[in-house]
């Protein structure tokens, strides 16, 4: 039986990591559908070779072998671990961590494999990341603010976001491509969809639009024009319809995993509105 447990990161990574997890496959291989989140991920099979999943702009299907244990880290948008290249060069790629980190990755492989439990292996990986972020410094503050402004709850035009940050639209685009791996508009679409998933996973009560209920109302709450808009974006980002993705159930996805740790920090931004006054929405 496939088992998947998410949890918040250690406090030293709270500002850069969205969630960490441990996944165990059973007697059969498991087909994993990776979805765009706006951030990068580290996938670390215990006893195997770790991989970096670059920022996705569409779905990626992976078959995880039977009897495999994977520890993983999902980073916030714009908060990638130290890498030798800009994220625009790593978008939609699945790369060996040894190719990016060299001998450091080899030492981590040994540490995780030697750990008595996957939980201790995950702790070793997080401790390494805390040290690396302390050594290399913080994030690009303007990109971090852009990510907050582009959250779905108060949709705004990208030009307005650039003005809010005292940047030109082209400057904002360059900085987002370098630090996030995608343009501001693509990031906005990704965050909007993640917002919808967060509401669905949390079993949120939809306020939506008068006359709409269920998925249609959650779609409006997340910033979509209507349910048809959500369906188009879901196909673009995941390759399936919302009901196929969620299994027809608005309180959990079809995989049956509990993603509450991943979406809790996302939902915490729901009532924050960093851009004030006279900013009109632009539907993507």
């Amino acid at each position: 039986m496939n088992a998947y447990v998410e949890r918040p990161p250690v406090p030293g990574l709270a500002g850069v990591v969205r969630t960490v997890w441990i996944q165990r496959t059973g007697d059969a291989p498991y087909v994993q559908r990776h979805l765009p989140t706006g951030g990068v991920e580290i996938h670390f099979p215990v006893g195997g070779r770790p991989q970096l999943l670059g920022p996705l702009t569409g779905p990626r299907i992976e078959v995880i072998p039977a009897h495999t244990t994977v520890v993983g880290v999902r980073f916030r948008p714009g908060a990638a671990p130290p890498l030798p290249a800009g994220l625009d060069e790593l978008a939609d790629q699945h790369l060996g961590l040894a190719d990016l980190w060299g001998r450091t990755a080899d030492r981590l492989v040994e540490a995780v494999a030697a750990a008595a439990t996957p939980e201790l292996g995950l702790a070793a990986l997080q401790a390494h990341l805390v040290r690396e972020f302390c050594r290399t410094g913080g994030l690009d503050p303007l990109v971090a603010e852009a990510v907050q402004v582009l959250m779905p709850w108060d949709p705004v035009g990208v030009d307005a976001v650039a003005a809010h940050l005292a940047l030109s639209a082209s400057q904002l685009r360059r900085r987002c491509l370098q630090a996030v791996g995608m343009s501001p508009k693509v990031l906005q679409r990704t965050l909007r969809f993640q917002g919808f998933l967060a509401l669905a996973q949390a079993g949120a009560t939809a306020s939506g639009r008068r006359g709409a209920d269920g998925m249609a109302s959650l779609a409006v709450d997340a910033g979509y024009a209507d349910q048809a808009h959500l369906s188009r974006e879901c196909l673009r980002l995941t390759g399936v319809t919302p009901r196929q993705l969620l299994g027809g159930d608005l309180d959990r996805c079809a995989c049956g995993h509990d993603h509450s740790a991943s979406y809790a920090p996302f939902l915490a931004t729901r009532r924050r509105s960093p851009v004030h006054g006279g900013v009109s929405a632009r539907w993507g």
Side-chain angles (χ1 to χ4, degrees):
M1 179 178 177
N2 184 65
Y4 175 91
V5 178
E6 281 189 351
R7 62 193 64 179
V10 295
L13 295 175
V16 293
V17 168
R18 180 169 154 186
T19 190
V20 299
W21 73 87
I22 298 173
Q23 184 170 9
R24 297 175 173 89
T25 60
D27 294 333
Y30 183 79
V31 179
Q32 179 73 54
R33 182 183 298 269
H34 299 294
L35 306 181
T37 65
V40 306
E41 300 182 3
I42 290 177
H43 300 165
F44 211 122
V46 176
R49 309 305 296 177
Q51 303 283 317
L52 180 98
L53 182 64
L56 295 179
T57 59
R60 184 181 182 94
I61 306 300
E62 177 188 9
V63 179
I64 304 176
H67 306 296
T68 298
T69 299
V70 181
V71 299
V73 179
R74 179 173 299 123
F75 293 85
R76 296 174 183 263
L83 296 169
L87 287 188
D88 51 335
E89 299 181 28
L90 304 179
D92 295 309
Q93 295 191 51
H94 208 180
L95 304 169
L97 205 58
D99 295 332
L100 300 169
W101 285 359
R103 296 179 64 181
T104 297
D106 294 335
R107 289 193 293 270
L108 270 176
V109 168
E110 295 173 0
V112 172
T117 65
E119 289 76 11
L120 290 174
L122 179 57
L125 175 56
Q126 291 191 84
H128 169 77
L129 291 171
V130 169
R131 291 192 297 270
E132 284 298 295
F133 277 105
C134 288
R135 180 179 65 83
T136 57
L139 311 177
D140 182 333
L142 285 180
V143 171
E145 178 67 9
V147 171
Q148 292 301 316
V149 176
L150 289 169
M151 293 297 277
W153 320 119
D154 297 290
V156 298
V158 171
D159 287 346
V161 177
H164 170 71
L165 299 173
L167 297 173
S168 69
S170 61
Q171 287 173 325
L172 176 61
R173 177 181 173 83
R174 284 195 299 272
R175 291 178 84 144
C176 278
L177 286 172
Q178 175 75 16
V180 183
M182 60 189 70
S183 70
K185 177 54 72 175
V186 174
L187 175 61
Q188 186 177 47
R189 287 172 169 165
T190 301
L191 292 175
R192 182 169 55 202
F193 185 69
Q194 286 288 305
F196 166 76
L197 290 181
L199 293 175
Q201 292 287 332
T205 300
S207 57
R209 180 176 297 161
R210 181 172 296 180
D213 56 16
M215 192 174 294
S217 191
L218 284 184
V220 173
D221 282 358
Y224 291 98
D226 50 33
Q227 187 170 346
H229 186 198
L230 165 66
S231 296
R232 291 193 302 272
E233 288 293 281
C234 187
L235 280 170
R236 183 206 305 244
L237 294 171
T238 75
V240 295
T241 67
R243 292 203 180 276
Q244 287 172 325
L245 183 67
L246 296 170
D249 190 342
L250 280 182
D251 63 9
R252 67 184 182 92
C253 68
C255 69
H257 298 153
D258 180 0
H259 299 283
S260 57
S262 180
Y263 289 120
F266 199 90
L267 290 168
T269 68
R270 190 179 182 188
R271 290 181 174 82
R272 183 183 177 210
S273 181
V275 178
H276 301 284
V279 180
S280 60
R282 292 185 183 177
W283 305 110

